[in-house]
mmCIF file with all atom_site columns, all heavy atoms in Angstrom:
data_model
loop_
_atom_site.group_PDB
_atom_site.id
_atom_site.type_symbol
_atom_site.label_atom_id
_atom_site.label_alt_id
_atom_site.label_comp_id
_atom_site.label_asym_id
_atom_site.label_entity_id
_atom_site.label_seq_id
_atom_site.pdbx_PDB_ins_code
_atom_site.Cartn_x
_atom_site.Cartn_y
_atom_site.Cartn_z
_atom_site.occupancy
_atom_site.B_iso_or_equiv
_atom_site.pdbx_formal_charge
_atom_site.auth_seq_id
_atom_site.auth_comp_id
_atom_site.auth_asym_id
_atom_site.auth_atom_id
_atom_site.pdbx_PDB_model_num
ATOM 1   N N   . VAL A 1 63 ? -61.504 -38.468 -78.355 1.00 0.00 ? 63 VAL A N   1
ATOM 2   C CA  . VAL A 1 63 ? -60.558 -38.843 -77.448 1.00 0.00 ? 63 VAL A CA  1
ATOM 3   C C   . VAL A 1 63 ? -59.258 -39.514 -78.041 1.00 0.00 ? 63 VAL A C   1
ATOM 4   O O   . VAL A 1 63 ? -59.530 -40.409 -78.927 1.00 0.00 ? 63 VAL A O   1
ATOM 5   C CB  . VAL A 1 63 ? -61.114 -39.808 -76.429 1.00 0.00 ? 63 VAL A CB  1
ATOM 6   C CG1 . VAL A 1 63 ? -60.034 -40.399 -75.371 1.00 0.00 ? 63 VAL A CG1 1
ATOM 7   C CG2 . VAL A 1 63 ? -62.174 -39.179 -75.529 1.00 0.00 ? 63 VAL A CG2 1
ATOM 8   N N   . GLN A 1 64 ? -58.072 -39.117 -77.710 1.00 0.00 ? 64 GLN A N   1
ATOM 9   C CA  . GLN A 1 64 ? -56.924 -39.515 -78.493 1.00 0.00 ? 64 GLN A CA  1
ATOM 10  C C   . GLN A 1 64 ? -56.255 -40.415 -77.589 1.00 0.00 ? 64 GLN A C   1
ATOM 11  O O   . GLN A 1 64 ? -55.349 -41.297 -78.165 1.00 0.00 ? 64 GLN A O   1
ATOM 12  C CB  . GLN A 1 64 ? -56.081 -38.252 -78.759 1.00 0.00 ? 64 GLN A CB  1
ATOM 13  C CG  . GLN A 1 64 ? -56.767 -37.260 -79.901 1.00 0.00 ? 64 GLN A CG  1
ATOM 14  C CD  . GLN A 1 64 ? -56.063 -36.001 -79.958 1.00 0.00 ? 64 GLN A CD  1
ATOM 15  O OE1 . GLN A 1 64 ? -56.134 -35.173 -78.832 1.00 0.00 ? 64 GLN A OE1 1
ATOM 16  N NE2 . GLN A 1 64 ? -55.417 -35.611 -80.978 1.00 0.00 ? 64 GLN A NE2 1
ATOM 17  N N   . GLN A 1 65 ? -56.181 -40.480 -76.476 1.00 0.00 ? 65 GLN A N   1
ATOM 18  C CA  . GLN A 1 65 ? -55.571 -41.399 -75.412 1.00 0.00 ? 65 GLN A CA  1
ATOM 19  C C   . GLN A 1 65 ? -56.519 -41.669 -74.361 1.00 0.00 ? 65 GLN A C   1
ATOM 20  O O   . GLN A 1 65 ? -57.363 -40.843 -73.919 1.00 0.00 ? 65 GLN A O   1
ATOM 21  C CB  . GLN A 1 65 ? -54.186 -40.871 -74.974 1.00 0.00 ? 65 GLN A CB  1
ATOM 22  C CG  . GLN A 1 65 ? -53.121 -40.831 -76.108 1.00 0.00 ? 65 GLN A CG  1
ATOM 23  C CD  . GLN A 1 65 ? -51.793 -40.433 -75.383 1.00 0.00 ? 65 GLN A CD  1
ATOM 24  O OE1 . GLN A 1 65 ? -51.641 -40.369 -74.158 1.00 0.00 ? 65 GLN A OE1 1
ATOM 25  N NE2 . GLN A 1 65 ? -50.700 -40.185 -76.307 1.00 0.00 ? 65 GLN A NE2 1
ATOM 26  N N   . ALA A 1 66 ? -56.335 -42.765 -73.543 1.00 0.00 ? 66 ALA A N   1
ATOM 27  C CA  . ALA A 1 66 ? -56.912 -43.075 -72.323 1.00 0.00 ? 66 ALA A CA  1
ATOM 28  C C   . ALA A 1 66 ? -56.045 -43.753 -71.377 1.00 0.00 ? 66 ALA A C   1
ATOM 29  O O   . ALA A 1 66 ? -55.174 -44.541 -71.655 1.00 0.00 ? 66 ALA A O   1
ATOM 30  C CB  . ALA A 1 66 ? -58.143 -44.087 -72.675 1.00 0.00 ? 66 ALA A CB  1
ATOM 31  N N   . TYR A 1 67 ? -56.192 -43.312 -70.141 1.00 0.00 ? 67 TYR A N   1
ATOM 32  C CA  . TYR A 1 67 ? -55.472 -43.863 -69.025 1.00 0.00 ? 67 TYR A CA  1
ATOM 33  C C   . TYR A 1 67 ? -56.435 -44.496 -67.978 1.00 0.00 ? 67 TYR A C   1
ATOM 34  O O   . TYR A 1 67 ? -57.328 -43.831 -67.494 1.00 0.00 ? 67 TYR A O   1
ATOM 35  C CB  . TYR A 1 67 ? -54.700 -42.687 -68.356 1.00 0.00 ? 67 TYR A CB  1
ATOM 36  C CG  . TYR A 1 67 ? -53.517 -42.311 -69.137 1.00 0.00 ? 67 TYR A CG  1
ATOM 37  C CD1 . TYR A 1 67 ? -53.860 -41.160 -70.174 1.00 0.00 ? 67 TYR A CD1 1
ATOM 38  C CD2 . TYR A 1 67 ? -52.257 -42.789 -69.140 1.00 0.00 ? 67 TYR A CD2 1
ATOM 39  C CE1 . TYR A 1 67 ? -52.847 -40.820 -70.863 1.00 0.00 ? 67 TYR A CE1 1
ATOM 40  C CE2 . TYR A 1 67 ? -51.287 -42.223 -70.040 1.00 0.00 ? 67 TYR A CE2 1
ATOM 41  C CZ  . TYR A 1 67 ? -51.608 -41.300 -70.817 1.00 0.00 ? 67 TYR A CZ  1
ATOM 42  O OH  . TYR A 1 67 ? -50.544 -40.860 -71.654 1.00 0.00 ? 67 TYR A OH  1
ATOM 43  N N   . ALA A 1 68 ? -56.348 -45.741 -67.777 1.00 0.00 ? 68 ALA A N   1
ATOM 44  C CA  . ALA A 1 68 ? -57.196 -46.633 -67.016 1.00 0.00 ? 68 ALA A CA  1
ATOM 45  C C   . ALA A 1 68 ? -56.537 -46.961 -65.671 1.00 0.00 ? 68 ALA A C   1
ATOM 46  O O   . ALA A 1 68 ? -55.492 -47.637 -65.725 1.00 0.00 ? 68 ALA A O   1
ATOM 47  C CB  . ALA A 1 68 ? -57.659 -47.829 -67.703 1.00 0.00 ? 68 ALA A CB  1
ATOM 48  N N   . GLY A 1 69 ? -57.103 -46.620 -64.508 1.00 0.00 ? 69 GLY A N   1
ATOM 49  C CA  . GLY A 1 69 ? -56.581 -46.950 -63.310 1.00 0.00 ? 69 GLY A CA  1
ATOM 50  C C   . GLY A 1 69 ? -57.395 -47.838 -62.460 1.00 0.00 ? 69 GLY A C   1
ATOM 51  O O   . GLY A 1 69 ? -58.642 -47.750 -62.374 1.00 0.00 ? 69 GLY A O   1
ATOM 52  N N   . TYR A 1 70 ? -56.615 -48.861 -62.032 1.00 0.00 ? 70 TYR A N   1
ATOM 53  C CA  . TYR A 1 70 ? -57.191 -50.023 -61.121 1.00 0.00 ? 70 TYR A CA  1
ATOM 54  C C   . TYR A 1 70 ? -56.160 -50.642 -60.415 1.00 0.00 ? 70 TYR A C   1
ATOM 55  O O   . TYR A 1 70 ? -54.973 -50.643 -60.906 1.00 0.00 ? 70 TYR A O   1
ATOM 56  C CB  . TYR A 1 70 ? -58.142 -50.869 -61.914 1.00 0.00 ? 70 TYR A CB  1
ATOM 57  C CG  . TYR A 1 70 ? -57.325 -51.699 -62.943 1.00 0.00 ? 70 TYR A CG  1
ATOM 58  C CD1 . TYR A 1 70 ? -56.905 -53.035 -62.730 1.00 0.00 ? 70 TYR A CD1 1
ATOM 59  C CD2 . TYR A 1 70 ? -57.239 -51.205 -64.257 1.00 0.00 ? 70 TYR A CD2 1
ATOM 60  C CE1 . TYR A 1 70 ? -56.213 -53.623 -63.710 1.00 0.00 ? 70 TYR A CE1 1
ATOM 61  C CE2 . TYR A 1 70 ? -56.501 -51.910 -65.317 1.00 0.00 ? 70 TYR A CE2 1
ATOM 62  C CZ  . TYR A 1 70 ? -55.973 -53.184 -64.968 1.00 0.00 ? 70 TYR A CZ  1
ATOM 63  O OH  . TYR A 1 70 ? -55.334 -53.843 -65.930 1.00 0.00 ? 70 TYR A OH  1
ATOM 64  N N   . VAL A 1 71 ? -56.321 -51.185 -59.300 1.00 0.00 ? 71 VAL A N   1
ATOM 65  C CA  . VAL A 1 71 ? -55.414 -51.876 -58.481 1.00 0.00 ? 71 VAL A CA  1
ATOM 66  C C   . VAL A 1 71 ? -55.572 -53.451 -58.536 1.00 0.00 ? 71 VAL A C   1
ATOM 67  O O   . VAL A 1 71 ? -54.701 -54.170 -58.844 1.00 0.00 ? 71 VAL A O   1
ATOM 68  C CB  . VAL A 1 71 ? -55.426 -51.495 -57.082 1.00 0.00 ? 71 VAL A CB  1
ATOM 69  C CG1 . VAL A 1 71 ? -54.371 -52.250 -56.179 1.00 0.00 ? 71 VAL A CG1 1
ATOM 70  C CG2 . VAL A 1 71 ? -55.101 -49.959 -56.924 1.00 0.00 ? 71 VAL A CG2 1
ATOM 71  N N   . TYR A 1 72 ? -56.841 -53.872 -58.263 1.00 0.00 ? 72 TYR A N   1
ATOM 72  C CA  . TYR A 1 72 ? -57.116 -55.313 -58.284 1.00 0.00 ? 72 TYR A CA  1
ATOM 73  C C   . TYR A 1 72 ? -57.885 -55.721 -59.495 1.00 0.00 ? 72 TYR A C   1
ATOM 74  O O   . TYR A 1 72 ? -58.972 -55.470 -59.816 1.00 0.00 ? 72 TYR A O   1
ATOM 75  C CB  . TYR A 1 72 ? -58.027 -55.518 -57.065 1.00 0.00 ? 72 TYR A CB  1
ATOM 76  C CG  . TYR A 1 72 ? -57.281 -55.359 -55.776 1.00 0.00 ? 72 TYR A CG  1
ATOM 77  C CD1 . TYR A 1 72 ? -57.738 -54.311 -55.008 1.00 0.00 ? 72 TYR A CD1 1
ATOM 78  C CD2 . TYR A 1 72 ? -56.182 -56.043 -55.391 1.00 0.00 ? 72 TYR A CD2 1
ATOM 79  C CE1 . TYR A 1 72 ? -57.058 -54.125 -53.677 1.00 0.00 ? 72 TYR A CE1 1
ATOM 80  C CE2 . TYR A 1 72 ? -55.345 -55.866 -54.196 1.00 0.00 ? 72 TYR A CE2 1
ATOM 81  C CZ  . TYR A 1 72 ? -55.931 -54.850 -53.317 1.00 0.00 ? 72 TYR A CZ  1
ATOM 82  O OH  . TYR A 1 72 ? -55.233 -54.565 -52.259 1.00 0.00 ? 72 TYR A OH  1
ATOM 83  N N   . GLY A 1 73 ? -57.118 -56.370 -60.424 1.00 0.00 ? 73 GLY A N   1
ATOM 84  C CA  . GLY A 1 73 ? -57.631 -56.856 -61.696 1.00 0.00 ? 73 GLY A CA  1
ATOM 85  C C   . GLY A 1 73 ? -56.615 -57.359 -62.581 1.00 0.00 ? 73 GLY A C   1
ATOM 86  O O   . GLY A 1 73 ? -55.439 -56.951 -62.521 1.00 0.00 ? 73 GLY A O   1
ATOM 87  N N   . ASP A 1 74 ? -57.009 -58.136 -63.521 1.00 0.00 ? 74 ASP A N   1
ATOM 88  C CA  . ASP A 1 74 ? -55.942 -58.656 -64.564 1.00 0.00 ? 74 ASP A CA  1
ATOM 89  C C   . ASP A 1 74 ? -55.464 -57.465 -65.530 1.00 0.00 ? 74 ASP A C   1
ATOM 90  O O   . ASP A 1 74 ? -56.206 -56.474 -65.621 1.00 0.00 ? 74 ASP A O   1
ATOM 91  C CB  . ASP A 1 74 ? -56.733 -59.767 -65.334 1.00 0.00 ? 74 ASP A CB  1
ATOM 92  C CG  . ASP A 1 74 ? -56.962 -61.033 -64.601 1.00 0.00 ? 74 ASP A CG  1
ATOM 93  O OD1 . ASP A 1 74 ? -56.076 -61.297 -63.817 1.00 0.00 ? 74 ASP A OD1 1
ATOM 94  O OD2 . ASP A 1 74 ? -57.795 -61.827 -64.728 1.00 0.00 ? 74 ASP A OD2 1
ATOM 95  N N   . SER A 1 75 ? -54.366 -57.774 -66.140 1.00 0.00 ? 75 SER A N   1
ATOM 96  C CA  . SER A 1 75 ? -53.870 -56.931 -67.095 1.00 0.00 ? 75 SER A CA  1
ATOM 97  C C   . SER A 1 75 ? -54.807 -56.611 -68.147 1.00 0.00 ? 75 SER A C   1
ATOM 98  O O   . SER A 1 75 ? -55.606 -57.494 -68.497 1.00 0.00 ? 75 SER A O   1
ATOM 99  C CB  . SER A 1 75 ? -52.496 -57.584 -67.717 1.00 0.00 ? 75 SER A CB  1
ATOM 100 O OG  . SER A 1 75 ? -51.579 -57.759 -66.689 1.00 0.00 ? 75 SER A OG  1
ATOM 101 N N   . THR A 1 76 ? -54.685 -55.479 -68.745 1.00 0.00 ? 76 THR A N   1
ATOM 102 C CA  . THR A 1 76 ? -55.744 -54.932 -69.765 1.00 0.00 ? 76 THR A CA  1
ATOM 103 C C   . THR A 1 76 ? -57.115 -54.938 -69.355 1.00 0.00 ? 76 THR A C   1
ATOM 104 O O   . THR A 1 76 ? -57.992 -54.729 -70.202 1.00 0.00 ? 76 THR A O   1
ATOM 105 C CB  . THR A 1 76 ? -55.446 -55.611 -71.025 1.00 0.00 ? 76 THR A CB  1
ATOM 106 O OG1 . THR A 1 76 ? -55.863 -56.968 -70.986 1.00 0.00 ? 76 THR A OG1 1
ATOM 107 C CG2 . THR A 1 76 ? -54.004 -55.660 -71.611 1.00 0.00 ? 76 THR A CG2 1
ATOM 108 N N   . SER A 1 77 ? -57.399 -54.768 -68.046 1.00 0.00 ? 77 SER A N   1
ATOM 109 C CA  . SER A 1 77 ? -58.756 -54.577 -67.620 1.00 0.00 ? 77 SER A CA  1
ATOM 110 C C   . SER A 1 77 ? -59.320 -53.236 -68.121 1.00 0.00 ? 77 SER A C   1
ATOM 111 O O   . SER A 1 77 ? -60.487 -53.011 -68.441 1.00 0.00 ? 77 SER A O   1
ATOM 112 C CB  . SER A 1 77 ? -58.933 -54.711 -66.127 1.00 0.00 ? 77 SER A CB  1
ATOM 113 O OG  . SER A 1 77 ? -58.764 -55.940 -65.669 1.00 0.00 ? 77 SER A OG  1
ATOM 114 N N   . GLY A 1 78 ? -58.347 -52.236 -68.325 1.00 0.00 ? 78 GLY A N   1
ATOM 115 C CA  . GLY A 1 78 ? -58.680 -50.933 -68.832 1.00 0.00 ? 78 GLY A CA  1
ATOM 116 C C   . GLY A 1 78 ? -59.276 -51.054 -70.257 1.00 0.00 ? 78 GLY A C   1
ATOM 117 O O   . GLY A 1 78 ? -60.254 -50.304 -70.570 1.00 0.00 ? 78 GLY A O   1
ATOM 118 N N   . GLN A 1 79 ? -58.653 -51.973 -71.135 1.00 0.00 ? 79 GLN A N   1
ATOM 119 C CA  . GLN A 1 79 ? -59.271 -52.210 -72.360 1.00 0.00 ? 79 GLN A CA  1
ATOM 120 C C   . GLN A 1 79 ? -60.499 -52.763 -72.376 1.00 0.00 ? 79 GLN A C   1
ATOM 121 O O   . GLN A 1 79 ? -61.553 -52.301 -73.008 1.00 0.00 ? 79 GLN A O   1
ATOM 122 C CB  . GLN A 1 79 ? -58.290 -53.146 -73.220 1.00 0.00 ? 79 GLN A CB  1
ATOM 123 C CG  . GLN A 1 79 ? -57.162 -52.355 -73.797 1.00 0.00 ? 79 GLN A CG  1
ATOM 124 C CD  . GLN A 1 79 ? -55.861 -52.178 -72.973 1.00 0.00 ? 79 GLN A CD  1
ATOM 125 O OE1 . GLN A 1 79 ? -56.142 -52.186 -71.812 1.00 0.00 ? 79 GLN A OE1 1
ATOM 126 N NE2 . GLN A 1 79 ? -54.635 -52.154 -73.510 1.00 0.00 ? 79 GLN A NE2 1
ATOM 127 N N   . ARG A 1 80 ? -60.735 -53.803 -71.567 1.00 0.00 ? 80 ARG A N   1
ATOM 128 C CA  . ARG A 1 80 ? -62.022 -54.440 -71.332 1.00 0.00 ? 80 ARG A CA  1
ATOM 129 C C   . ARG A 1 80 ? -63.105 -53.424 -70.908 1.00 0.00 ? 80 ARG A C   1
ATOM 130 O O   . ARG A 1 80 ? -64.195 -53.400 -71.517 1.00 0.00 ? 80 ARG A O   1
ATOM 131 C CB  . ARG A 1 80 ? -61.994 -55.557 -70.320 1.00 0.00 ? 80 ARG A CB  1
ATOM 132 C CG  . ARG A 1 80 ? -63.249 -56.085 -69.800 1.00 0.00 ? 80 ARG A CG  1
ATOM 133 C CD  . ARG A 1 80 ? -63.992 -56.742 -71.000 1.00 0.00 ? 80 ARG A CD  1
ATOM 134 N NE  . ARG A 1 80 ? -65.363 -57.309 -70.508 1.00 0.00 ? 80 ARG A NE  1
ATOM 135 C CZ  . ARG A 1 80 ? -66.258 -57.746 -71.345 1.00 0.00 ? 80 ARG A CZ  1
ATOM 136 N NH1 . ARG A 1 80 ? -65.880 -58.142 -72.687 1.00 0.00 ? 80 ARG A NH1 1
ATOM 137 N NH2 . ARG A 1 80 ? -67.452 -58.187 -71.021 1.00 0.00 ? 80 ARG A NH2 1
ATOM 138 N N   . ALA A 1 81 ? -62.809 -52.460 -70.124 1.00 0.00 ? 81 ALA A N   1
ATOM 139 C CA  . ALA A 1 81 ? -63.831 -51.499 -69.544 1.00 0.00 ? 81 ALA A CA  1
ATOM 140 C C   . ALA A 1 81 ? -64.158 -50.453 -70.759 1.00 0.00 ? 81 ALA A C   1
ATOM 141 O O   . ALA A 1 81 ? -65.277 -50.280 -71.016 1.00 0.00 ? 81 ALA A O   1
ATOM 142 C CB  . ALA A 1 81 ? -63.215 -50.676 -68.380 1.00 0.00 ? 81 ALA A CB  1
ATOM 143 N N   . LEU A 1 82 ? -63.087 -49.907 -71.445 1.00 0.00 ? 82 LEU A N   1
ATOM 144 C CA  . LEU A 1 82 ? -63.281 -48.931 -72.421 1.00 0.00 ? 82 LEU A CA  1
ATOM 145 C C   . LEU A 1 82 ? -63.955 -49.522 -73.689 1.00 0.00 ? 82 LEU A C   1
ATOM 146 O O   . LEU A 1 82 ? -64.833 -48.793 -74.366 1.00 0.00 ? 82 LEU A O   1
ATOM 147 C CB  . LEU A 1 82 ? -62.165 -48.085 -72.759 1.00 0.00 ? 82 LEU A CB  1
ATOM 148 C CG  . LEU A 1 82 ? -62.165 -47.022 -73.740 1.00 0.00 ? 82 LEU A CG  1
ATOM 149 C CD1 . LEU A 1 82 ? -63.247 -45.983 -73.158 1.00 0.00 ? 82 LEU A CD1 1
ATOM 150 C CD2 . LEU A 1 82 ? -60.901 -46.328 -73.913 1.00 0.00 ? 82 LEU A CD2 1
#
Side-chain angles (χ1 to χ4, degrees):
V63 175
Q64 297 163 292
Q65 289 184 8
Y67 293 85
Y70 60 97
V71 176
Y72 295 117
D74 288 327
S75 299
T76 66
S77 291
Q79 277 86 332
R80 169 66 185 175
L82 188 53

